[in-house]
């Protein structure tokens, strides 16, 4: 294994070991299945809020999002503008009902509101979508860390997966929440340290304001855009509307999130935890993207790699050394021109020369981009099956190349903490849904006597282990997916819309009964699967189409079916 | 002396959400206000940097 100094290893191993050991120790008194899936009901809002944020912040957040800031600027932050509004709706509507009914899973509520068929249907959709996504959540950081640090892939998947399984099974949801609180503190510390260092590493002539203006001139500081453009992926309106629905479905109906706030001491603590997430999520994403933008400005003055995926570039260099050398020479020349243009712009600010200096800088940056595009074209020619998009490698490449010893270990710990915090929430939620919504419910339906608390606890733990092993096995075969983030989003979008539709009917259309809702759900899910295989429709639309289909079909059937046929069983 | 029979309290349906604008509404408005402030700050930052 290469890449890390002894101090980095000490920071990395010390951080991970301390957090995991503390979480497992604090939650060592788990005695029955209920405390395993709901905790001991003592969690306060700071723990709940940090736990909710840690569940959503996967390793990809810390690997890819700074790269997105580097490549595309700040626009992505608009995607989160609908989230605070969704937190308000969930706090006001979902949380008090879940608490009053004392449900352990979101799908248990569907049985209270409709009948057991809806509970099984909602639970099954969650298990399918989240079960597959858990494998990718482990695989994604493993593949990137293994490429950049030169660590072997399979042992890394096994180590991350095993650590998470062990502390999740030992301490249940309580251990997950407690470890996530500390993992989130490490993540935020690492992020602030990285952002501070990158700003301090800018040349003396470049102030923070100057750096922001340089980024602005080169199109990286469009934080908000009010143009109503349906073709644009990120603008204020799509962020507000699309982000609202996505956050409503994720935080309101996905058991990996619902379980976080149902482990609170009271409705008030859960609500405050959710609103905490609503307040701090946007600043956090802003800081992550801004770090990427500052890395971009840093590389205006320090030579960046021609292609950030170094192993791939090395393979191309071995195959076509002359062409790579020629590209490299031109790249160096264009970079020197860009650096001079950046200094010239800073000097010209506020003077009559500013427009000309701005245009010269933009032209110089385009020339640099053109060489990088030519490099990607060469990679595609030499290695047709290799992904040429290198933005996922930008941040880690910067960390390893430019941050001091010790901080590197901290930032690798941040990425591993993020991976473990997401996977642990997913595993405990999968184990809980399998136990509560299927195993225990089917026993009850068959008239079998309830098991002892010890037996139910053993089943909960066993099912959590089964899902963990499934995730590791799936992660080991995840090479099949070209684009991992897209794979996770597609998997989610196939199932999210239908589940959200069930909950929208349940909460807001009180007259609609079980059978029309179930038929609506089945029609919507079939439609989405068909669309997935036969159409080129963007997968983000699946959420909207499925949700609207469930609601529409349920309303129509409720209106036309005889009362006896549409009533709950 | 007449005995006043109190009306039995209306049992709230546990599946019904409570009124949206409860005593929590001030906190909801606070979150909404922060969102508004962030949006305005983002707009000003975008204008200044471009």
């Amino acid at each position: 294994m290469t890449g890390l100094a002894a101090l980095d290893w000490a920071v990395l191993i010390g951080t991970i070991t301390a957090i995991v050991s503390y979480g497992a120790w604090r939650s060592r008194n788990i005695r029955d299945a209920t405390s395993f899936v709901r905790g001991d009901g003592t969690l306060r809002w700071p723990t709940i809020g940090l736990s909710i944020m840690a569940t959503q912040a996967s390793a990809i957040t810390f690997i890819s999002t700074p790269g997105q800031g580097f490549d595309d600027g700040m626009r992505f932050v608009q995607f989160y503008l609908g989230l605070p509004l969704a937190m308000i709706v969930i706090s006001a509507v979902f949380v008090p009902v879940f608490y009053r009914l004392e449900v352990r899973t979101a799908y248990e509520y569907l049985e209270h509101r409709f009948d057991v068929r809806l509970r099984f249907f909602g639970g099954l959709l969650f298990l399918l979508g989240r079960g597959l996504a858990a494998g990718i959540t482990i695989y994604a950081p493993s593949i990137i860390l293994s490429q950049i640090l030169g660590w072997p892939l399979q042992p890394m998947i096994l180590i991350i997966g095993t650590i998470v399984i062990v502390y999740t099974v030992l301490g249940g949801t309580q251990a997950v929440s407690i470890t996530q609180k500390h993992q989130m503190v490490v993540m935020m510390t690492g992020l602030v340290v990285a952002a501070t260092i990158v700003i301090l590493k800018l040349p003396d002539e470049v102030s923070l304001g100057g750096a922001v203006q340089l980024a602005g001139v080169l199109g990286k500081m469009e934080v908000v855009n009010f143009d109503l453009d349906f073709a644009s992926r990120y603008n204020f309106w799509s962020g507000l509307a699309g982000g609202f629905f996505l956050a409503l479905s994720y935080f309101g109906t996905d058991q990996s999130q619902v379980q976080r706030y149902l482990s609170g001491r009271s409705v008030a603590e859960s609500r405050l935890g959710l609103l905490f997430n609503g307040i701090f999520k946007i600043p956090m994403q802003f800081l992550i993207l801004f770090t990427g933008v500052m890395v971009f400005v840093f590389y205006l003055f320090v030579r960046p790699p021609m292609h950030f995926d170094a192993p791939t570039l090395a393979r191309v260099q071995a195959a076509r050394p002359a062409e790579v050398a020629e590209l490299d020479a031109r790249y160096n020349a264009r970079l020197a021109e860009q650096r001079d243009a950046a200094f010239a712009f800073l000097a010209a600010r506020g003077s009559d020369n500013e427009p000309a200096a701005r245009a010269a800088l933009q032209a110089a940056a385009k020339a640099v981009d053109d060489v990088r595009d030519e490099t990607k074209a060469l990679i595609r020619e030499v290695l047709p099956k290799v992904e040429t998009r290198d933005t996922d490698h930008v941040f880690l490449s910067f960390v390893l190349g430019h941050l001091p010893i010790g901080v590197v270990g901290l930032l690798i710990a941040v990425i591993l903490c993020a991976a473990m915090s997401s996977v642990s929430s997913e595993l405990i939620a999968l184990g809980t849904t399998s136990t509560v919504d299927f195993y225990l419910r089917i026993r009850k339906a068959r008239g079998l006597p309830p098991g002892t608390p010890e037996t139910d606890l053993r089943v909960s733990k066993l099912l959590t282990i089964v899902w963990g092993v499934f995730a590791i096995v799936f992660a080991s075969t995840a090479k099949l997916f070209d684009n991992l983030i897209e794979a996770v989003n597609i998997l989610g979008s196939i199932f999210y819309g239908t589940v959200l539709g069930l909950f929208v009917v349940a909460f807001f259309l009180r007259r609609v009964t079980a059978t029309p809702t179930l038929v609506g759900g089945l029609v919507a899910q079939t439609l989405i699967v068909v669309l997935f295989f036969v159409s080129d429709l963007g997968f983000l639309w699946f959420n909207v189409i499925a949700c609207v289909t469930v609601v529409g079909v349920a309303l129509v059937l409720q209106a036309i079916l005889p009362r006896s046929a549409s009533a709950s069983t | 002396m007449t005995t006043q029979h109190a009306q039995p309290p209306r049992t709230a349906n546990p599946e019904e959400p409570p009124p949206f604008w409860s005593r929590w509404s001030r906190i909801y408005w606070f979150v909404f206000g922060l969102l508004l402030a962030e949006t305005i700050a983002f707009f000003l930052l975008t204008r200044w940097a471009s």
Side-chain angles (χ1 to χ4, degrees):
Chain A
M1 293 188 184
T2 58
L4 294 188
L7 180 62
D8 290 323
W9 278 110
V11 171
L12 173 60
I13 294 172
T15 307
I16 302 292
T17 308
I19 292 173
V20 169
S21 309
Y22 179 71
W25 177 76
R26 274 285 306 273
S27 48
R28 63 196 180 283
N29 294 323
I30 300 298
R31 294 277 177 267
D32 55 51
T34 300
S35 56
F36 184 78
V37 301
R38 281 198 70 160
D40 60 6
T42 59
L43 295 184
R44 305 294 300 267
W45 63 267
T47 306
I48 297 169
L50 289 170
S51 174
I52 288 169
M53 291 179 81
T55 295
Q56 194 184 16
S58 69
I60 289 297
T61 306
F62 291 91
I63 293 173
S64 289
T65 312
Q68 188 157 6
F70 176 93
D71 187 51
D72 194 38
M74 300 293 300
R75 297 190 310 144
F76 184 56
V77 80
Q78 296 170 104
F79 186 69
Y80 293 90
L81 291 176
L83 187 144
L85 302 180
M87 293 303 101
I88 291 174
V89 172
I90 294 169
S91 297
V93 178
F94 288 45
V95 174
V97 175
F98 286 161
Y99 264 88
R100 258 192 245 143
L101 296 172
E102 296 186 347
V103 296
R104 288 161 293 179
T105 71
Y107 320 109
E108 202 174 349
Y109 164 71
L110 291 177
E111 181 173 2
H112 280 280
R113 170 65 178 80
F114 298 116
D115 62 24
V116 74
R117 296 172 301 166
L118 269 298
R119 180 179 184 174
F120 285 156
F121 185 53
L124 185 65
L125 293 182
F126 168 73
L127 292 180
L128 283 171
R130 190 50 66 188
L132 296 173
I136 298 176
T137 314
I138 296 178
Y139 176 76
S142 303
I143 183 73
I144 293 169
L145 286 173
S146 71
Q147 281 175 3
I148 289 179
L149 300 173
W151 299 351
L153 175 64
Q154 295 299 339
M156 182 166 286
I157 290 173
L158 202 60
I159 289 168
I160 294 177
T162 306
I163 292 173
V164 175
I165 291 173
V166 167
Y167 77 76
T168 305
V169 168
L170 279 177
T173 198
Q174 187 93 349
V176 171
S177 294
I178 292 169
T179 47
Q180 281 179 330
K181 178 173 137 185
H182 298 286
Q183 283 162 341
M184 198 64 209
V185 170
V186 172
M187 287 183 226
M188 293 314 298
T189 306
L191 192 58
V192 171
V193 168
T196 307
I197 291 178
V198 67
I199 290 168
L200 292 175
K201 285 182 85 75
L202 293 172
D204 292 342
E205 303 91 322
V206 184
S207 65
L208 179 58
V212 171
Q213 285 193 311
L214 281 171
V217 168
L218 297 174
K220 309 291 182 189
M221 285 304 294
E222 188 188 84
V223 193
V224 69
N225 179 354
F226 290 107
D227 295 343
L228 186 56
D229 178 4
F230 289 102
S232 157
R233 186 176 286 179
Y234 306 119
N235 60 46
F236 176 79
W237 307 108
S238 68
L240 204 63
F244 172 76
F245 277 100
L246 202 60
L248 196 63
S249 58
Y250 177 53
F251 292 98
T253 73
D254 189 307
Q255 179 62 16
S256 66
Q257 282 293 0
V258 173
Q259 198 160 4
R260 300 297 97 228
Y261 53 83
L262 286 187
S263 56
R265 179 183 283 190
S266 63
V267 173
E269 300 289 344
S270 297
R271 280 174 158 170
L272 286 172
L274 281 162
L275 295 172
F276 176 93
N277 179 44
I279 290 171
F280 287 103
K281 184 71 186 177
I282 293 175
M284 177 182 141
Q285 290 299 134
F286 180 93
L287 184 60
I288 297 174
L289 285 166
F290 189 71
T291 304
V293 171
M294 288 298 104
V295 170
F296 172 82
V297 176
F298 170 80
Y299 279 135
L300 291 178
F301 304 100
V302 175
R303 186 191 187 281
M306 195 158 63
H307 190 73
F308 283 93
D309 182 355
T312 297
L313 184 60
R315 286 170 66 192
V316 174
Q317 194 162 19
R320 304 272 188 90
E323 285 170 70
V324 172
E326 188 275 326
L327 278 170
D328 200 49
R330 273 200 289 137
Y331 186 59
N332 287 336
R334 298 294 91 82
L335 283 173
E337 288 162 11
Q338 181 182 248
R339 187 176 58 242
D340 293 344
F343 279 126
F345 171 78
L346 290 172
R349 276 183 302 164
S351 73
D352 293 343
N353 294 334
E354 183 176 334
R358 173 189 296 261
L361 175 58
Q362 287 167 339
K366 175 153 188 329
V368 171
D369 281 346
D370 288 345
V371 180
R372 294 192 74 223
D373 287 344
E374 283 183 58
T375 311
K376 286 178 186 173
L378 181 63
I379 293 170
R380 266 193 295 275
E381 200 182 311
V382 178
L383 304 165
K385 290 184 179 174
V386 168
E387 172 66 65
T388 55
R389 195 172 164 273
D390 62 345
T391 50
D392 286 352
H393 297 256
V394 169
F395 187 57
L396 271 178
S397 170
F398 168 78
V399 167
L400 290 171
H402 300 282
L403 293 193
I405 290 173
V407 176
V408 175
L410 174 67
L411 286 167
I412 304 291
V414 165
I415 291 164
L416 289 176
C417 279
M420 291 195 293
S421 65
S422 300
V423 177
S424 61
S425 284
E426 290 173 341
L427 293 190
I428 193 75
L430 289 164
T432 297
T433 301
S434 310
T435 307
V436 173
D437 292 315
F438 289 92
Y439 170 74
L440 294 177
R441 188 63 188 84
I442 289 169
R443 276 184 71 95
K444 187 179 168 191
R446 288 185 173 175
L448 296 170
T452 63
E454 292 78 17
T455 315
D456 290 348
L457 177 60
R458 271 201 295 275
V459 172
S460 305
K461 290 187 170 186
L462 182 68
L463 288 172
T464 306
I465 293 172
V466 167
W467 280 110
V469 172
F470 174 79
I472 290 174
V473 171
F474 189 70
S476 304
T477 56
K479 282 176 203 158
L480 305 170
F481 299 100
D482 287 338
N483 186 324
L484 294 167
I485 299 175
E486 196 163 84
V488 172
N489 286 332
I490 290 173
L491 277 173
S493 296
I494 288 175
F495 301 108
Y496 263 161
T498 306
V499 180
L500 179 62
L502 301 180
F503 279 85
V504 166
V505 174
F507 277 110
F508 301 108
L509 302 170
R510 305 291 307 170
R511 291 185 182 173
V512 179
T513 51
T515 301
T517 311
L518 180 62
V519 175
L522 290 169
V523 169
Q525 199 52 58
T526 309
L527 177 67
I528 294 303
V529 171
V530 170
L531 284 175
F532 175 68
F533 284 109
V534 304
S535 82
D536 294 329
L537 197 67
F539 62 85
L540 285 174
W541 287 105
F542 292 167
N543 294 298
V544 180
I545 292 170
C547 183
V548 169
T549 304
V550 176
V551 173
V553 171
L555 279 173
V556 169
L557 287 181
Q558 187 69 35
I560 62 174
L561 283 179
R563 183 169 291 271
S564 58
S566 66
S568 305
T569 51
Chain B
M1 191 174 168
T2 57
T3 311
Q4 199 171 6
H5 293 284
Q7 289 284 327
R10 251 183 72 190
T11 316
N13 181 355
E15 291 172 19
E16 289 273 3
F20 191 83
W21 298 117
S22 59
R23 65 197 174 92
W24 279 78
S25 59
R26 267 182 293 182
I27 298 179
Y28 299 151
W29 277 115
F30 173 70
V31 175
F32 182 76
L34 278 178
L35 176 64
L36 198 64
E38 280 167 341
T39 306
I40 292 168
F42 289 166
F43 173 71
L44 295 175
L45 182 60
T46 303
R47 285 280 298 272
W48 180 75
S50 62

